[in-house]
């Protein structure tokens, strides 16, 4: 019973995140069962650029900074995901950035191999969610590039 209460609380947390808005209840439950939850204190790395890894993370509370060569690329907050490239591109074995908790952060961690073994429906809904995330990041990068180009030509 205690484990069931714990899973129910986790289900509710995920159900309330925008990332999971396109997921059916049974897909959220399946996610609860194939995932683990992690805590990272402020300043603690989730993973380091160049390290091996295929885990996908969704921030259930807190904030992380994404760094490449020590330069801040992005900040991600509650409800956002990272590590999806390791799932989408099976050939990628090294992390392309360091991700560090800014403050105390709780993360949902899903092993890419476990997701590949999950139901076809869960894989499909995650793929769609990752595509939404990646399209948003491309748009954000375009805006940043245009802002930089406009300010650089003054």
């Amino acid at each position: 019973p205690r484990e069931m209460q714990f899973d129910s609380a986790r289900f509710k947390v995920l159900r309330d995140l925008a990332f999971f808005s396109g997921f059916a209840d049974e897909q959220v439950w399946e996610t609860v069962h194939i995932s683990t939850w992690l805590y990272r204190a402020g300043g603690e790395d989730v993973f380091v650029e160049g390290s091996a890894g295929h885990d996908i993370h969704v921030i259930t509370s807190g904030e992380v900074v994404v760094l490449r060569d020590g330069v801040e690329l992005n900040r991600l907050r509650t409800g956002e995901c990272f590590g999806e490239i390791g799932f989408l591109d099976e050939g990628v074995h090294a992390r392309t950035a360091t991700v560090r908790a800014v403050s105390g952060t709780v993360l949902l961690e899903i092993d890419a191999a476990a997701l590949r073994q999950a139901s076809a429906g869960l894989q499909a809904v995650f793929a769609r969610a990752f595509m939404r995330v990646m399209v948003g990041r491309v748009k954000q990068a375009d805006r940043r590039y245009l802002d930089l180009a406009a300010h650089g030509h003054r």
Side-chain angles (χ1 to χ4, degrees):
R2 179 167 160 69
E3 186 68 29
M4 254 173 41
Q5 288 177 336
F6 208 49
D7 283 353
S8 294
R10 289 177 170 182
F11 172 89
K12 180 171 176 11
V13 168
L14 299 186
R15 185 80 276 171
D16 291 343
L17 295 176
F19 181 86
F20 291 98
S21 63
F23 288 54
D25 283 353
E26 59 270 13
Q27 293 164 331
V28 176
W29 276 114
E30 189 175 357
T31 301
V32 167
H33 293 123
I34 67 166
S35 62
T36 55
W37 292 57
L38 309 172
Y39 175 80
R40 293 291 181 266
E44 189 177 354
D45 291 338
V46 178
F47 54 73
V48 177
E49 182 177 355
S51 64
H54 291 281
D55 298 332
I56 302 146
H57 297 86
V58 179
I59 304 167
T60 61
S61 68
E63 180 180 10
V64 300
V65 62
V66 181
L67 307 158
R68 185 172 299 142
D69 296 325
V71 176
E72 182 175 323
L73 300 178
N74 206 356
R75 282 183 180 251
L76 304 173
R77 292 168 183 83
T78 299
E80 295 186 275
C81 77
F82 57 93
E84 71 283 351
I85 292 172
F87 173 73
L88 296 171
D89 184 355
E90 294 180 51
V92 173
H93 298 287
R95 297 293 189 179
T96 59
T98 294
V99 176
R100 182 173 297 143
V102 173
S103 57
T105 300
V106 179
L107 302 159
L108 174 77
E109 181 180 72
I110 304 164
D111 178 73
L115 184 52
R116 285 190 192 93
Q117 296 298 314
S119 70
L122 187 65
Q123 291 180 57
V125 76
F126 263 101
R128 282 194 301 276
F130 293 151
M131 290 304 290
R132 281 194 310 273
V133 166
M134 294 177 79
V135 166
R137 289 187 184 151
V138 168
K139 288 179 179 179
Q140 180 183 37
D142 283 350
R143 281 192 301 275
R144 286 180 180 170
Y145 176 77
L146 291 173
D147 286 348
L148 192 60
H151 290 71
H153 287 95
R154 287 188 179 175

